[in-house]
Amino acid sequence: MPEGWQWDRTLFQGSAAHYERGRLPYAPGFADVLAAALGFDGRGRLLDVGCGPGTVALAVAPHVTEVVGVDPDEDMLAEAARQAARRGVANARWVTARAEELPAGLGQFDAVVFAQSFHWTDRDQVAATVRDMLPPGGAFVQISDLKDPPAEPGPLPYPAPPGDRIGELVRRYLGPVRRAGRGTLPYGTPGGEELVLVRAGFEPPKRHVVPAGQVLTRTADDLVARVFSNSGSAPHLFGERLPDFERDLRAELHRASPDGLFAEHLPPTEIRIWHKPGRTPTTLD
């Protein structure tokens, strides 16, 4: 991890309940694209590291024999279990652990997924451990929103969320450096994450972009939930000032859209697949 920062259990404290409402979904069909790229046909095992409330794990579950979600935040895993029960997903299980504690007796997997979570880990250690948990040809998968997607044509039916002003408000309450649990977190990976995975012995990645662009209507409540779903503005960080912050946040949203409605384009989803050298996985046979 970046020098001067240590993981602690408050990183996403209070955020789990806001995830489903606040976070934008991945592009429709992303799980089908991932399953096709990995050759999943209802068989195989997938590990989702930093699974949060099960967003990726539950979407991929119909394509595999078993999916295991790992996260150090028990509230996130409780939310994942609730979502699994609500959707009738019976082949998912949830394990409380940090990525650095892998393999944690979980065995071998055909693919290990990090959906916008790898940057929270000791990347060199975790990449090497994951490589050992994969069979020859197994896959280390990174999933994220596509950065800097092309501009979508046409006007939106409602104002776009005022992201810059929300960011300014968060900094006014919490300071200029992004908070992360009890400390602050510098951004970036020295040399980039690609170098980490090359050092770990993975082959160059194969990249898939799942298109999106649909216009989503969002309410002020949705955007408040989005703010509280982020580690850098998790509810506990505001302490006794939380009611004041939410009041000011809602006032900012009202100024941007007095009707309380916003719109934004759903970004494409980027999937990068790094294979362990060797034959194509046959544990699915």
Side-chain angles (χ1 to χ4, degrees):
M1 294 301 300
E3 184 178 355
W5 184 81
Q6 291 184 337
W7 178 88
D8 66 72
R9 290 188 176 275
T10 69
L11 188 58
F12 282 93
Q13 184 178 317
S15 295
H18 300 283
Y19 250 71
E20 184 176 12
R21 181 165 199 167
R23 295 291 181 102
L24 291 178
Y26 288 119
F30 85 92
D32 296 333
V33 172
L34 176 61
L38 296 176
F40 286 141
D41 59 358
R43 293 171 290 175
R45 300 183 78 220
L46 180 137
L47 176 65
D48 183 0
V49 182
C51 66
T55 303
V56 171
L58 294 174
V60 179
H63 299 282
V64 296
T65 302
E66 182 187 36
V67 61
V68 178
V70 168
D71 201 286
D73 190 308
E74 294 180 354
D75 288 342
M76 290 288 186
L77 295 182
E79 182 65 22
R82 282 192 291 269
Q83 292 296 329
R86 184 176 68 83
R87 302 182 196 185
V89 176
N91 64 332
R93 63 186 178 103
W94 315 102
V95 177
T96 305
R98 293 182 61 199
E100 292 78 8
E101 295 170 332
L102 293 173
L106 296 175
Q108 190 175 76
F109 292 86
D110 301 289
V112 178
V113 172
F114 292 80
Q116 303 184 96
S117 60
F118 189 47
H119 62 286
W120 290 117
T121 71
D122 184 330
R123 281 147 285 203
D124 282 295
Q125 175 192 331
V126 170
T129 299
V130 167
R131 185 181 186 278
D132 290 341
M133 297 175 71
L134 294 168
F140 182 114
V141 181
Q142 292 180 295
I143 300 176
S144 66
D145 296 333
L146 180 66
K147 302 300 184 287
D148 301 319
E152 296 289 344
L156 292 168
Y158 303 107
D164 289 344
R165 281 183 279 173
I166 292 173
E168 290 173 5
L169 180 63
V170 171
R171 288 189 290 273
R172 191 190 317 160
Y173 272 82
L174 299 180
V177 180
R178 186 182 184 278
R179 296 288 297 276
R182 296 188 180 95
T184 58
L185 179 67
Y187 281 104
T189 303
E193 291 182 357
E194 291 198 8
L195 179 59
V196 171
L197 294 169
V198 168
R199 283 198 298 260
F202 287 95
E203 296 176 345
K206 297 178 181 178
R207 181 172 177 266
H208 304 265
V209 175
V210 186
Q214 297 88 338
V215 175
L216 301 182
T217 300
R218 307 279 277 162
T219 68
D221 287 341
D222 295 335
L223 297 186
V224 170
R226 175 190 285 180
V227 172
F228 289 146
S229 76
N230 290 320
S231 62
S233 50
H236 75 95
L237 293 176
F238 298 93
E240 294 180 354
R241 302 182 72 194
L242 179 61
D244 295 335
F245 171 77
E246 183 169 345
R247 180 202 63 221
D248 290 348
L249 173 59
R250 289 186 179 277
E252 194 67 67
L253 294 173
H254 182 74
R255 281 191 286 272
S257 178
D259 292 335
L261 294 176
F262 301 84
E264 55 188 322
H265 292 284
L266 183 66
T269 295
E270 182 177 18
I271 301 172
R272 290 188 296 165
I273 301 176
W274 305 74
H275 284 287
K276 179 176 177 176
R279 57 189 174 87
T280 301
T282 57
T283 54
L284 307 183
D285 294 343

